Amino acid sequence: MNDAKRRALFETLQQLNPTPTTELEYTSPFELLIAVLLSAQATDVSVNKATRKLYAVANTPAKMIALGEAGVSDFIKTIGLYRTKAKNVIATCQLLLEKHGGEVPRSREALEALPGVGRKTANVVLNTAFGEDTIAVDTHIFRVANRTGLAPGKDPLAVELALERLTPREFKHDAHHWLILHGRYVCKARKPECWHCAIEPLCDFRPKTPAPKG
């Protein structure tokens, strides 16, 4: 895909959705951090169902620690890997209190030092909570970037670096939201829905999938 097509692709996605954001529900950087931590190998819908009840009781590191690992587990047991995630939530909250005054840090290094927080989670928090032009590459973005030819790469880091290099500056802040939503609802894993894809004319994927019959 050349630069003109990349720009046209992002212009099209922007026209469809001028102000994209995460589908995770949150009201503070802390709530976003915990929600993203819980979302690994889980749907945003399942995370939101759990956090609505969890945050009504514990929406700060201190309140989360007061709940304890078992208490957090009770709220998130409908989410995959919930025991490990509950352990990481409590450990993360302890570090937030001990090292950051209970606030979510604004540096990648500090975020990635938190239990259960990897590069993708750090990028989401930096972008969505703090407005930085980071691009968090999840399975949807990895698939879309490779399948369309937008920014091919052998692993998520390679795709992230390619997207950072190739995405026009004015689209960088919203790029990962557009691509996640596109992968979630149109360019699906098992069968991309090319027949109603707005960026289909710009995409390198072949053969295009036809509309289902009937």
Side-chain angles (χ1 to χ4, degrees):
M1 186 178 292
N2 59 35
D3 289 344
K5 280 189 174 182
R6 285 190 188 92
R7 177 171 290 278
L9 182 150
F10 283 115
E11 286 174 347
T12 301
L13 294 177
Q14 183 182 54
Q15 288 165 6
L16 290 171
N17 187 359
T19 55
T21 190
T22 178
E23 293 187 319
L24 291 170
E25 296 172 1
Y26 71 98
T27 61
S28 68
F30 174 71
E31 288 186 1
L32 177 65
L33 171 65
I34 298 304
V36 180
L37 191 156
L38 295 176
S39 72
Q41 299 179 49
T43 66
D44 288 1
V45 172
S46 68
V47 172
N48 289 338
K49 284 180 180 177
T51 57
R52 282 172 205 147
K53 295 177 181 178
L54 173 63
Y55 293 159
V57 175
N59 62 351
T60 67
K63 289 177 180 178
M64 205 72 77
I65 290 169
L67 265 186
E69 210 173 298
V72 171
S73 290
D74 283 343
F75 281 100
I76 67 169
K77 59 189 175 184
T78 53
I79 300 173
L81 307 173
Y82 74 92
R83 288 189 178 89
T84 298
K85 289 176 180 179
K87 184 178 180 179
N88 286 335
V89 165
I90 295 300
T92 284
C93 290
Q94 289 169 338
L95 276 180
L96 290 177
L97 287 173
E98 291 167 10
K99 295 191 173 183
H100 305 289
E103 299 296 321
V104 176
R106 296 187 65 154
S107 79
R108 182 194 303 283
E109 183 181 18
L111 284 167
E112 289 187 23
L114 300 171
V117 177
R119 187 178 182 91
K120 183 191 78 172
T121 298
N123 278 339
V124 172
V125 173
L126 290 171
N127 176 280
T128 305
F130 300 129
E132 296 192 20
D133 290 344
T134 52
I135 297 176
V137 176
D138 70 348
T139 55
H140 295 300
I141 291 186
F142 184 74
R143 179 176 66 255
V144 171
N146 277 287
R147 185 183 273 168
T148 62
L150 174 66
K154 66 183 188 302
D155 56 43
L157 179 58
V159 168
E160 178 188 332
L161 296 177
L163 284 168
E164 285 186 349
R165 186 177 74 254
L166 298 169
T167 303
R169 189 169 187 175
E170 63 267 37
F171 302 119
K172 222 171 239 187
H173 181 262
D174 293 326
H176 88 265
H177 293 302
W178 285 320
L179 296 174
I180 285 172
L181 294 170
H182 189 68
R184 185 173 289 162
Y185 296 113
V186 182
C187 197
K188 298 177 181 179
R190 291 188 180 179
K191 185 178 181 182
E193 298 180 0
C194 303
W195 63 89
H196 69 100
C197 174
I199 61 171
E200 181 271 331
L202 304 164
C203 168
D204 291 343
F205 179 69
R206 298 290 185 277
K208 306 295 187 183
T209 52
K213 295 178 181 179

